[in-house]
Amino acid sequence: MSSFLQRLGDFLSGPVPTPAGPASAAPPSPTPDRPTGMTADDPRLPKQSRPQVERLLALVGEIEGRAARDPLLASALTEVRQMRDVHLPQLVASYADIPPAHRADIFRKTGRSASYVLNEGVEKMIARAEALSRSLAQEDIDSFADNLKFIETRYGGRDPLG
């Protein structure tokens, strides 16, 4: 049964295809630790966006690590891989496609700079990844609490003769 679940998890969490788009939408070359997607040092990113992108990528890696141990986490894995491999690169590409001379148009329309709006988008993805991480951690916390209750019931506080 577990081999079936493993295969199902592997199938559901397979690579997410990246849609074709403009040349600037192409993510950096694949690496062994990040098959597709972004890096925090992508030259299209403004410097103030790099810490947020680094945080998002770290959260994705953390969730991927948990999902590797539990094939039932395939939906969370698929979602964070889409963030990293599709949504984040598309957001950065759409920012980079705006000619610098016209980024002021964003400020005139929104009252915020294009880089600020970019950061808001990345922060929303971070918030979702953090919510997924908390949800996954809560399952681990609940399991630990259940095990502690069992140990207390089984071995704690009872008089074995009594």
Side-chain angles (χ1 to χ4, degrees), residues 142-156:
D142 293 345
S143 176
F144 182 63
D146 288 344
N147 283 318
L148 287 174
K149 286 178 190 173
F150 169 78
I151 296 299
E152 181 60 33
T153 301
R154 176 77 180 201
Y155 302 109

Side-chain angles (χ1 to χ4, degrees), residues 59-140:
L59 284 165
V60 169
E62 175 187 316
I63 293 168
E64 280 185 319
R66 288 184 191 166
R69 295 185 307 269
D70 186 350
L72 297 176
L73 302 178
S75 67
L77 181 61
T78 299
E79 185 173 352
V80 296
R81 283 182 173 169
Q82 285 178 336
M83 277 184 206
R84 179 194 67 203
D85 299 341
V86 179
H87 304 146
L88 181 60
Q90 286 177 345
L91 178 64
V92 172
S94 65
Y95 167 82
D97 286 345
I98 302 169
H102 295 281
R103 289 188 182 144
D105 294 342
I106 301 289
F107 184 81
R108 282 192 283 280
K109 289 179 183 177
T110 66
R112 292 172 279 184
S113 69
S115 60
Y116 185 88
V117 174
L118 170 67
N119 286 347
E120 283 183 326
V122 175
E123 289 293 335
K124 288 176 183 174
M125 287 189 276
I126 289 171
R128 176 61 183 149
E130 287 174 338
L132 283 170
S133 181
R134 271 191 304 279
S135 176
L136 297 175
Q138 189 60 52
E139 292 174 18
D140 293 337

Side-chain angles (χ1 to χ4, degrees), residues 28-64:
S29 298
T31 62
D33 63 337
R34 185 171 291 114
T36 60
M38 297 285 307
T39 62
D41 60 350
D42 188 302
R44 300 172 298 169
L45 284 171
K47 286 183 183 177
Q48 64 269 28
S49 300
R50 292 174 186 204
Q52 287 91 341
V53 169
E54 192 170 336
R55 172 74 176 134
L56 178 60
L57 296 176
L59 284 165
V60 169
E62 175 187 316
I63 293 168
E64 280 185 319

